Amino acid sequence: MRKWYKIGIILFLLAGAGACKKFLEVKPLDTLSGKDFWKTKQDAQSAINGAYVILLNKFTRSILYNAGDFRPGNWNWFGKDNLRKLGQNLMLNTGGGDGADNPQDWKEFYQAIALANLCIDRIPGIADPNFGNREKKALVAEARFLRAFIYFYIARMYGDVPLQTDPYDTKLLPREKMLTVLEFCLKDLETSKADLPLSYDDPTNRAVRGTQGAALALMAHINMWAAGFDKANEQKYWTQTAVLGKAIMDLNVYKLLPYTKETFLTIFKGRSEEGIFELSLDANYGGKFHSLICQWTLHEPYIHDNIGGRSEITPMIRHLDRIYPRGESDKRLELWFYNPYNTDQTPMFLKFSAITDPSSRDYDANLIFFRYADIILLRAEALAYLNQNVESIKMLNLVRDRAGAKLYVGGGGKPLQDAVFLEREKEMMGEGHLWYDLIRTGRISDKNALENSLTPEQLERGAWTWPISGDAVKNNPLVTRNAYWIQ
Amino acid sequence: MNKRYLILLVSFFLLMTGASYTVYAQQAVTIKGRVTDAASKDGIPGVTIIDIKNNKGLGVTDPTGQFIIKVEPDKTIQFRYIGYRFETLKIGKATVLNVTLTPENKSLKEAVVVGYQKRTKETVSGSVAVISGKDLQDVPVSNIQELLQGKVAGLNIQNNSGAPGFRGTMSVRGVSQLNVSGSGDQAYLASNNPLLVIDNVPVDFDGGISQSMLQPGAATGPLALIPPEDVQSIEVMKDAQATALYGSRGANGVIVVTTKRGNSPTPIIDVNSSIFVNFPPKLRPTIGGNAERRYRINSIFMNARDEQDVRDILAKPETQFLTDSLNSFYNNSTDWQGLFYQTTMNTNNNVQISGGNIKMNYKANFAYQMNQGVLKNTGFNKYSLNMQLNMQPSKKLRIGAQLFSALGQKQRGNGGGLTDNGAGNSFTTSLLPGPSKFVGNPQLDGYENNIDDNNTVNFRGFVDVDYEIINNLRINSTTSYDYYTDTRDQFKMSFSNNNATRLYGFVGRHDELNTRNGVNYSYSSNKKDLEKGNNIYASVFSEINIKSDDQHVRDVRNGPNDYYWGPRGYSPRFYPGNVWNNASEVNVNGTPVSYVYHAASWAGFLSYNFRTKYSVDLAYRLDGSSAAGINNPYTKNPSVGFRWNFNKENLMRRLSWLDYGSIRTTYGVNSRPTATILNSLGVYKSVPGYNNANSIIPEFDVLANPSMEPEKSSQFNFGVDLGLFKSRVEIIYDTYYKNNYNLVRDAYLPNATGYNKMQVNGGAIVNYGHELSITGRPIVHLNPKGFQWTVSVNGAYNKGVLTELPGGSQFYLSIDDRNRQSIALKVGRNPQSNYLFQTDGVYRNTSDVPVDPIRGVRYKANAGPGSQFFQAGDPIWRDLNGDYALSDADYMIMGNPEPSVTGGFNNTFSYQNVSLSIFCTYLLNRSILNNAIAARVYRLQAPYVTDYTGNNLDGPINLYDISKLDYWKRPGDVASRPAIVGSFYHDALVQPNRLNQSLVMEDGSYFKINQITLAYQFRDFDFMRRLKLRVLRAYFTAYNVAMFSNYSGPNPETVTSLGRDDINGYPAASSFTFGIGAQF
């Protein structure tokens, strides 16, 4: 008996080590580890915000946002040699000034994608009683939207890109065909868009986070881009765009605000009723930005320019005359341009002029990607291709009417398509769309439409893309660089 | 008069020792007798007879074994002789004593502590080397590790820094790591530290320094805090069987330190006191004064394009003064180098009080050492108190307790401790006047006045309880707690720190709780004589380890004044401990961020031997640790070992020349946790918010790897122990094959994953080699006072081979941006190699430069456009790809920073009262990059640069004494080194004296005399009896006596673990010690 008692003590002592796995799971003293993250609703929200921040930082570190405006080359560059190189398609020679070569590195885009992938994977598993199923679904859908948006954006920059959809996958992936990537995004958005909110209760979130409208607008854009490359299916894509455009209008969330001297600034400051998807940049929240078009197109008294009241770049009169025929009134010409026909450096492009600090030349308006007028014109374009001329002209005139321009009265077909294109060029100037519109419509080879036109042969070899930095190839032999940039 | 003083002094000492002495009532009687060998019945000469109680010699037997002693009848005496079992007798009435001694091999009966268990060496199958504490005395070093150098075959210690309080590198059986930290001259290999166990308590090798790189923080490790006088023995365990029970931390070997315990019925007071002088080493050869001026001006004249160019160069503000030789301000010859060094006088003191018997014994050891470095403003003071109490109230119960406390105070001066000490770079030209009342030198002033105080306070306590619960079955429980506080206070004055004061404060707390509970069972079928029975020993235990390291840093810059050390607040901008700014887990000061570590382990051990002839050891340990990947927190460490003591076979017993002989063989697997919670789960960090809302993103530098596994090593060991000719020769031989696999490496990811890298398992290094120790006693005099000579030699040959890199890659280059001395990891070669251009001599004439037969142009220094063709005086760099242009493709893998052979060579002589011991170490076949000289020679091509900063030619400003160099001077010269300067414009591209060439690589083999000690033992002096002195000895020691090497730098040992000689490394000082040891 006594012996068994003693043996009992021994066994107790040995077991006393606590075979408990919990003991081996420790908490780092001063670091947030993966073990302690993904626990609450707040964590999920912070992570999504993190993905937005990474993306925003990518834009604020370079001239990327306005690359779509600069690459056609329709500006007088004066001393801005790095921008001039963009406008001459000498992408390998831009140098690092204003972050002009920063877009060649896609790393940050993929960091945001990796985080979105993590959100998609981890958010459904968060066991927080305050975190309802609908909210989880909405956040996952938001992550999917953001991921699709980034893929769309980088597909337009680089063409084929690696498609990473698993946050833990470290396999070497080759670049996926652009259309496959876009198709993946469309499917992803199709299934998740309904989970997104129509709008947010908190007014500060207007347009700066994923919504149903934003998802639809993204899908419309993807369709139009795909139509430019997949001629066999262009009808399908146009139809889709027209349908999506209608759906956005039917949401009744967005409206065109009047263009007056007082109000147009609020549109381009961001977070207006016209905005569909923007990245938030607000000096009050610690966000401001330097390398944006207004830095070079403005001078005293808007910003301190260092060169005696002169702009560093000005719009070319030739192209102004092409899009704004002389003699026709247009509020956009009146409101957005100062001295447009002067040939010295005094002209200014005033569309973006929310300057927070004239001396450091910082700007804090949102980066606007999709806007109601943009979607209306996109729909008009699709309808024009589909020969639904009446509806197309109606759309076109919605935008022209707001700008106080005379309404379009011509017929359908090519003239209508050209009119819609010109309208987009005018309306979206400075919002980074022109280069991509030129590519997808094939107008990129039109020597009259842009200074930096590309021959079909150049297009074929990928001259429209950005060069891909060496870092992308370094640890992955499967990634090849675009043929045009490596010879 | 004199006598009175002596009496006073004696009474004073009596009071001091507190011992009271009674007059002996007993009258001494004369006892005669003979001591004989039990087997041969021959008389044994030279047997020592000792009074046990007083631990005092009574006499020695004569050549026939006869003895006559005078002793009181109630005494217990002992007969001792090497190679025989001691015989203890109580003297009764007998006046004639005939004693027989039975042969016994001491070295096999020696108890060793293996896997927390005390066992006799003859049954241990693992490879264990024992160093007696006696071998570690007589030299007051700041870290006991220095003294282990060369003492154990296979334990490679390189004292690569002479900085007091710091320590060099240590590895058991080659390197088992692949990671390199730092770059340039200061590239270090990640550490291979063995596990340190002090009095059965596993402790962190570096205390609060958890940084593996040898650029340590404030902390001082435990080995520097233990006084050598307190060490009973140190055991070094090398193979997998011996280390198996130490579990996941034993993969790099285990070092067990046992401190002294009390064991004397009367209290013993040991006093050891010494003074020692540290001398700076020889300074590096430099030219100064007029020679410097002449060199600079001549060189400018010789190498400028034309006269106008000379004028332009000499008109620059920093060179103008060269021509102003008549201005006494610019006409000096200041020895800047010497200003940084000093000779220091130091002291080392140790008092130990001990006593007791087996039922209860105690010990207290107090030590104080002051050790000022040879570089100004550096030094190390330490104080320690170690108290131990052991009790055995009954036969069943044993209780032991110990408390160790220590304070280590380090002054680091201006440097990082090991490197960056500044004294190698003399900061300005010798032509300027030295520092004086009116002329200051900012660097030197800063050097002398900057504060960098580092304090370590260490407490370590343990309680050990052992109870025999059932016959032969004991339960035991040991709990220890080890606590460190490390602080660092650094203040840099503004003029020495880019015009901004810098206050840096560091507080680190490191604690470790270790508790071990177990049961052990021992059984013998013949308790009286183990050699006749079956013996079993088994134990099971569990071990819990909780460790945490909490570090705080404050860093304030741009303070208002050089004498205002504050505010000691928090500076968010420069707060390096802020993990949010810290991508690599290591903040800018090289201290790691805080962590918590938990481990739980279970181990079982079974040892069986038949008549102590055949032994089998089986051990198994399961370790769970929080540092393993979350998917597999447990690691298994099994091992097996056999031992055959073949001398116990009947056949062998007849061989009279064979004292003992055994064969050991073991195999086992050890592991080493490498993951942290952070690399297995990932780190998230806060970033500026989006749209005014909180944002958190993953740390994109490292992708979490939840399936990370511990690094492992499997090891096979085969050993032979031999004792021959009555202990005249003892041989230990071991050979091993150790495979370190699963080594963690950074795998760089495609950037489309978003992440930079992931830590993965997959590297592997195989180490194999041989170790041999021979101890010989060529001259053994029968009389212990006669001339005795003991010599021991040990050597270890180790070869490391890199066998695998993650992802099946064959080659990895870790690029050195600073010196272009990259490190190549190539599968199939040694783990680390240098990657340099091969220099095949010097072009004697320009016509010797090969010409490209196709284009008809000479071999040139760069590929692509731009041309700098080689010319006479340029080095002949091998053009591996044959494109007649030197390019990255021409780099060659060469050299090995790991030595092939290391070892020691020791001699001890004694005659009468004098003994002399000489300890030497040697190292063979190691590649060293002599950057210290190369950088200075490289610098010679820019004679016009006279200030240290503001140029891109790294290297010291003082001029190397070129007369010592065999360099190319004029066409036709056959020289070993290229031209110092060809022409400024040519050299800018060709860089004939660049660092990334094999010219810089040298063999670092050396033979070093570490220590010479001459000691005198006072015996039978009248004053000793009066002072009740049991033992008194005086000694003189010279330490770091001489270094013999073909290496052209000052010291082939004070280089980094990757064999880079950094001119700013802390040189090894020589020291001379005079000391006295007394026992009351």
Side-chain angles (χ1 to χ4, degrees), chain A residues 85-160:
Chain A
K85 295 278 162 43
L86 286 181
Q88 294 172 339
N89 217 31
L90 297 171
M91 309 293 280
L92 293 170
N93 303 319
T94 57
D98 303 309
D101 59 357
N102 179 291
Q104 298 181 15
D105 187 358
W106 64 31
K107 185 178 74 196
E108 291 89 349
F109 288 119
Y110 277 101
Q111 288 182 345
I113 288 172
L115 185 46
N117 283 336
L118 264 176
C119 289
I120 294 164
D121 183 71
R122 298 298 292 264
I123 289 176
I126 293 177
D128 177 359
N130 297 323
F131 197 16
N133 231 6
R134 260 196 54 203
E135 289 171 300
K136 280 186 197 171
K137 274 188 158 173
L139 283 181
V140 170
E142 194 176 353
R144 286 181 192 279
F145 160 75
L146 194 62
R147 181 173 72 178
F149 173 76
I150 298 166
Y151 274 125
F152 166 64
Y153 208 92
I154 61 177
R156 291 196 308 177
M157 288 171 67
Y158 309 109
D160 302 344

Side-chain angles (χ1 to χ4, degrees), chain B residues 575-600:
Chain B
Y575 183 55
N578 183 351
V579 70
W580 307 130
N581 298 332
N582 165 11
S584 60
E585 289 173 57
V586 175
N587 70 38
V588 294
N589 294 291
T591 50
V593 292
S594 309
Y595 67 86
V596 197
Y597 170 86
H598 283 191

Side-chain angles (χ1 to χ4, degrees), chain A residues 439-455:
Chain A
I439 294 167
R440 63 178 174 77
T441 57
R443 287 180 169 82
I444 192 89
S445 307
D446 179 356
K447 286 197 171 64
N448 289 320
L450 73 162
E451 301 296 307
N452 184 21
S453 61
L454 302 177
T455 64

Side-chain angles (χ1 to χ4, degrees), chain B residues 530-648:
Chain B
L530 300 180
E531 293 199 9
K532 290 191 176 130
N534 295 297
N535 311 302
I536 292 174
Y537 179 84
S539 83
V540 191
F541 65 84
S542 66
E543 193 171 359
I544 297 274
N545 188 279
I546 298 174
K547 211 161 54 161
S548 74
D549 204 322
D550 203 351
Q551 309 195 346
H552 302 263
V553 165
R554 52 184 192 272
D555 186 349
V556 183
R557 300 185 197 188
N558 294 314
N561 183 290
D562 273 352
Y563 295 90
Y564 178 51
W565 301 355
R568 294 194 173 185
Y570 164 87
S571 154
R573 182 166 170 218
F574 291 115
Y575 183 55
N578 183 351
V579 70
W580 307 130
N581 298 332
N582 165 11
S584 60
E585 289 173 57
V586 175
N587 70 38
V588 294
N589 294 291
T591 50
V593 292
S594 309
Y595 67 86
V596 197
Y597 170 86
H598 283 191
S601 319
W602 295 268
F605 176 66
L606 178 69
S607 170
Y608 165 77
N609 68 68
F610 176 66
R611 296 184 175 171
T612 67
K613 205 184 327 182
Y614 311 105
S615 312
V616 184
D617 289 339
L618 298 169
Y620 184 83
R621 178 160 165 148
L622 183 69
D623 274 284
S625 100
S626 63
I630 43 165
N631 289 355
N632 15 265
Y634 293 98
T635 61
K636 304 167 189 83
N637 306 296
S639 79
V640 57
F642 303 98
R643 182 182 180 119
W644 175 36
N645 290 325
F646 59 80
N647 61 309
K648 297 192 178 180

Side-chain angles (χ1 to χ4, degrees), chain B residues 136-159:
Chain B
L136 305 175
Q137 307 302 319
D138 300 340
V139 48
V141 288
S142 70
N143 192 324
I144 209 168
Q145 179 183 318
E146 285 183 44
L147 298 179
L148 299 180
Q149 190 182 29
K151 299 259 190 326
V152 176
L155 174 70
N156 177 16
I157 291 171
Q158 296 301 316
N159 297 318

Side-chain angles (χ1 to χ4, degrees), chain B residues 12-326:
Chain B
F12 179 70
F13 262 101
L14 284 176
L15 282 172
M16 286 291 287
T17 54
S20 63
Y21 294 87
T22 50
V23 180
Y24 293 121
Q26 301 275 359
Q27 197 65 41
V29 292
T30 307
I31 296 175
K32 284 191 208 171
R34 185 163 184 248
V35 182
T36 51
D37 183 293
S40 66
K41 309 291 178 206
D42 295 336
I44 310 174
V47 177
T48 318
I49 304 158
I50 284 162
D51 168 4
I52 288 220
K53 196 174 174 201
N54 294 327
N55 198 15
K56 196 171 120 186
L58 294 168
V60 196
T61 58
D62 70 6
T64 59
Q66 308 278 356
F67 66 90
I68 303 172
I69 52 168
K70 273 191 150 184
V71 66
E72 293 87 35
D74 63 334
K75 288 273 157 122
T76 307
I77 59 171
Q78 191 175 53
F79 294 83
R80 293 183 185 171
Y81 191 66
I82 291 178
Y84 288 85
R85 189 176 290 165
F86 295 171
E87 197 64 47
T88 314
L89 291 173
K90 198 166 162 74
I91 297 178
K93 301 229 164 78
T95 53
V96 177
L97 275 178
N98 284 320
V99 181
T100 53
L101 293 185
T102 36
E104 174 199 63
N105 206 287
K106 268 290 291 239
S107 71
L108 287 187
K109 296 291 180 203
E110 223 174 339
V112 289
V113 179
V114 179
Y116 306 120
Q117 310 297 341
K118 215 175 213 178
R119 301 171 60 194
T120 56
K121 214 176 165 187
E122 69 176 347
T123 62
V124 172
S125 60
S127 176
V128 182
V130 185
I131 305 166
S132 159
K134 279 187 198 140
D135 294 338
L136 305 175
Q137 307 302 319
D138 300 340
V139 48
V141 288
S142 70
N143 192 324
I144 209 168
Q145 179 183 318
E146 285 183 44
L147 298 179
L148 299 180
Q149 190 182 29
K151 299 259 190 326
V152 176
L155 174 70
N156 177 16
I157 291 171
Q158 296 301 316
N159 297 318
N160 48 19
S161 165
F166 291 91
R167 63 176 194 87
T169 57
M170 184 183 229
S171 64
V172 176
R173 293 186 166 171
V175 295
S176 50
Q177 290 268 18
L178 285 172
N179 295 331
V180 172
S181 47
S183 71
D185 301 343
Q186 292 165 16
Y188 278 89
L189 189 64
S191 98
N192 292 285
N193 286 341
L195 170 69
L196 183 61
V197 177
I198 299 177
D199 288 325
N200 265 352
V201 176
V203 299
D204 262 5
F205 208 99
D206 279 321
I209 318 169
S210 13
Q211 179 71 318
S212 56
M213 180 176 153
L214 282 173
Q215 188 65 282
T220 301
L223 272 185
L225 296 173
I226 291 184
E229 292 87 352
D230 195 21
V231 173
Q232 178 71 41
S233 69
I234 292 181
E235 288 157 29
V236 180
M237 323 215 157
K238 298 182 282 193
D239 72 337
Q241 212 292 316
T243 59
L245 286 179
Y246 297 99
S248 64
R249 293 196 281 169
N252 292 341
V254 180
I255 292 189
V256 177
V257 179
T258 309
T259 61
K260 286 186 174 151
R261 15 174 37 180
N263 181 23
S264 163
T266 49
I268 289 180
I269 300 168
D270 277 294
V271 178
N272 200 311
S273 183
S274 62
I275 48 170
F276 60 103
V277 185
N278 290 334
F279 291 98
K282 217 177 96 190
L283 302 184
R284 298 176 191 263
T286 298
I287 50 173
N290 221 10
E292 180 187 335
R293 178 191 315 272
R294 219 176 302 127
Y295 172 80
R296 287 187 190 275
I297 291 180
N298 280 348
S299 186
I300 291 169
F301 265 94
M302 302 281 291
N303 301 299
R305 252 192 222 114
D306 50 35
E307 213 170 297
Q308 185 54 44
D309 201 21
V310 173
R311 280 200 198 106
D312 290 347
I313 291 171
L314 286 174
K316 288 179 182 165
E318 67 272 18
T319 39
Q320 221 171 20
F321 74 93
L322 288 175
T323 56
D324 197 1
S325 67
L326 299 180

